[in-house]
Amino acid sequence: MAVTSRADAQWSDGLASGSGSVALASGAGEFSMTWKARSEGVDGATTPEELLAAAHSSCFSMALTHELEGNGTPPAWVKTSAQVSFVPGTGVTASVLTVAAKVPGIADEDFQRIAAAAKDGCPVSQALAGVEITLSGATLMD
Amino acid sequence: MAVTSRADAQWSDGLASGSGSVALASGAGEFSMTWKARSEGVDGATTPEELLAAAHSSCFSMALTHELEGNGTPPAWVKTSAQVSFVPGTGVTASVLTVAAKVPGIADEDFQRIAAAAKDGCPVSQALAGVEITLSGATLMD
């Protein structure tokens, strides 16, 4: 069964002169956006790339949990950051994942292997086939 | 200059038994997630796919605005919905865009051509190279 999720965006006036917003159809949030924030980086304003980072970090956390369960070493917790880069005129260039996890009873080499597999297998990684995806660090925590 | 946007996710316990959340580093929002919501569809809960839909609909709105400005026919407004589908075990399968816009002085055939170009050129469309992307409708409004 396919599950379909929706969001609704609007933009008024020009790209540089105007502004827009996007709402999650679930009601979980609505965000305003400007081109200046996206193209120059402005603290406190969201961007399409921040939303991609949210999708990627959450999907990877689920995928890693699933892979660790399959290994017989379920995690107590997983924490993932994603950093997505945008170059105006070029596009979305990279998503860099960094993960820390508490996984009782696993050897670090197994954790590294499983984290790399989760990076490749994560559905959002596969969707983002046009972007260079790297796992910059995977750290086991006590 | 690359602009980098970040989000931070966490998951506790198993995929089916546990739950997680993701926060936008800009502070614009934090969302809780469950596997049940993602795999079965639950009203009122966000999913990684809803966040992809938000990224895609907002990026397309900006791209179309930019293309219409380049055509000498800037829009008064653009409204875009994106619907992103997830099939458990398969992945993110599709993003369907639907747009309505008020564009003074443009012929419909030009609007259709430019909307199709914006679908292809939108940076998030290019990032989502692993997903089938369609423009299901582009409507000029008075």
Side-chain angles (χ1 to χ4, degrees), chain A residues 22-47:
Chain A
V22 61
L24 303 177
S26 68
E30 181 167 353
F31 318 105
S32 58
M33 291 191 188
T34 64
W35 175 249
K36 184 177 175 70
R38 187 180 188 190
S39 61
E40 298 178 21
V42 174
D43 280 350
T46 193
T47 62

Side-chain angles (χ1 to χ4, degrees), chain A residues 11-19 34-36, chain B residues 61-63 65-66 69:
Chain A
W11 195 269
S12 294
D13 297 322
L15 183 61
S17 61
S19 62
T34 64
W35 175 249
K36 184 177 175 70
Chain B
S61 295
M62 295 185 207
T65 295
H66 181 64
E69 289 184 302

Side-chain angles (χ1 to χ4, degrees), chain A residues 46-79:
Chain A
T46 193
T47 62
E49 287 68 37
E50 192 180 49
L51 296 165
L52 290 178
H56 202 189
S57 59
S58 54
C59 185
F60 176 82
S61 296
M62 294 185 208
L64 179 57
T65 294
H66 181 62
E67 297 266 353
L68 288 166
E69 289 184 301
N71 189 54
T73 52
W77 52 259
V78 167
K79 295 183 181 179

Side-chain angles (χ1 to χ4, degrees), chain A residues 1-17 21-31 33-35 37-59 61-63 65-66 69 74-88 90-93 123-124 126-131, chain B residues 1-17 21-31 33-35 37-59 61-63 65-66 69 74-88 90-93 123-124 126-131:
Chain A
M1 184 189 76
V3 176
T4 300
S5 300
R6 196 183 91 237
D8 304 299
Q10 64 82 27
W11 195 269
S12 294
D13 297 322
L15 183 61
S17 61
S21 64
V22 61
L24 303 177
S26 68
E30 181 167 353
F31 318 105
M33 291 191 188
T34 64
W35 175 249
R38 187 180 188 190
S39 61
E40 298 178 21
V42 174
D43 280 350
T46 193
T47 62
E49 287 68 37
E50 192 180 49
L51 296 165
L52 290 178
H56 202 189
S57 59
S58 54
C59 185
S61 296
M62 294 185 208
T65 294
H66 181 62
E69 289 184 301
W77 52 259
V78 167
K79 295 183 181 179
T80 308
S81 292
Q83 293 187 290
V84 175
S85 296
F86 176 70
V87 179
T90 301
V92 183
T93 53
V124 170
Q126 298 195 337
L128 291 171
V131 174
Chain B
M1 184 190 75
V3 176
T4 300
S5 300
R6 195 182 92 238
D8 305 298
Q10 63 82 27
W11 196 268
S12 295
D13 298 321
L15 183 61
S17 61
S21 64
V22 61
L24 304 177
S26 69
E30 180 168 353
F31 317 105
M33 292 190 187
T34 64
W35 175 248
R38 187 179 188 191
S39 61
E40 299 178 19
V42 174
D43 280 350
T46 193
T47 61
E49 287 68 38
E50 192 180 49
L51 296 165
L52 290 178
H56 202 190
S57 59
S58 54
C59 184
S61 295
M62 295 185 207
T65 295
H66 181 64
E69 289 184 302
W77 52 259
V78 168
K79 294 182 182 180
T80 308
S81 293
Q83 292 186 292
V84 175
S85 297
F86 176 70
V87 179
T90 301
V92 182
T93 53
V124 171
Q126 297 195 336
L128 290 171
V131 175

